[in-house]
Amino acid sequence: MEKTICGKKLMLVQGDLTELAVDAIVNAANAQLQLGGGVAGAIRIKGGPGIQEECNRIGPIRVGEAVVTGGGNLKASYVIHAVGPVYGEGGEDEKLRNATINSLERASEKGMKSIAFPAISTGIFGFPKDRCAQIMLKTVSEFLANRETSLEKVILCLLSRDDLDLFERRLANSPSEMIDR
């Protein structure tokens, strides 16, 4: 599914984030920037040890922040490591919003044209997927509509068909003023 917002593309796809040929993929990171399991583990395996070495020089960072490393052996040139909230820690919605905005800002600062996100914090961090879809889609839509950015394409890459369906329903019901028809 694809929507156009102020001339920019917001796309939802099902697949493996680490296989996308975009300027940057977003890692749903932990505050220590240790590439363990889930999305981070796939990035570590496919991207090679250089990404973790860069993370070790940068981390730790706070929840809601985002930092950039090279993409190693990935198809993406960069990895943006965004720390999302652990469900139940308090202030989760704002922290997820900040992680999303900060990722978009890091991409814009580097002049990137394309970025791909996973559903941040919905794995071992336990954030509800429907709430994640609502927050991330609204945040990305508002960013594309209201900010100067080099980004031309923002992808939300969902691993399962069920997750893709959930995000598609949310996007289909998003406010029309955010979407060019």
Side-chain angles (χ1 to χ4, degrees), residues 5-9 23-24 80 101 103-109 111-117 140 143-144 147-154:
I5 303 167
C6 296
K8 299 164 183 76
K9 301 287 184 201
D23 291 333
I80 298 175
I101 288 172
S103 296
L104 294 165
E105 287 179 347
R106 296 300 84 77
S108 294
E109 289 165 3
M112 295 180 200
K113 303 231 180 278
S114 58
I115 185 173
F117 286 87
V140 169
F143 186 91
L144 294 176
R147 305 258 185 122
E148 285 294 319
T149 181
S150 59
L151 288 168
E152 297 172 358
K153 180 169 50 174
V154 177

Side-chain angles (χ1 to χ4, degrees), residues 20-154:
L20 296 180
V22 291
D23 291 333
I25 60 171
V26 176
N27 172 27
N30 58 51
Q32 292 73 37
L33 300 182
Q34 292 302 304
L35 304 176
V39 172
I43 289 170
R44 176 179 43 80
I45 291 166
K46 291 184 179 178
I51 299 171
Q52 182 63 68
E53 290 166 7
E54 280 190 73
C55 285
N56 292 344
R57 289 191 293 273
I58 297 169
I61 63 172
R62 291 189 313 268
V63 176
E65 291 184 340
V67 296
V68 181
T69 66
N73 301 324
L74 297 168
K75 293 178 182 175
S77 299
Y78 298 96
V79 178
I80 298 175
H81 305 269
V83 181
V86 173
Y87 189 63
E89 72 184 15
E92 299 97 340
D93 291 5
E94 187 64 19
K95 290 172 182 175
L96 178 58
R97 183 179 177 280
N98 288 340
T100 305
I101 288 172
N102 285 325
S103 296
L104 294 165
E105 287 179 347
R106 296 300 84 77
S108 294
E109 289 165 3
K110 290 210 172 272
M112 295 180 200
K113 303 231 180 278
S114 58
I115 185 173
F117 286 87
I120 295 174
S121 287
T122 60
I124 62 168
F125 283 7
F127 201 90
K129 291 178 182 178
D130 188 56
R131 205 155 124 198
C132 174
Q134 178 183 2
I135 293 165
M136 289 189 74
L137 289 169
K138 181 175 191 251
T139 302
V140 169
S141 296
E142 289 175 351
F143 186 91
L144 294 176
N146 299 315
R147 305 258 185 122
E148 285 294 319
T149 181
S150 59
L151 288 168
E152 297 172 358
K153 180 169 50 174
V154 177

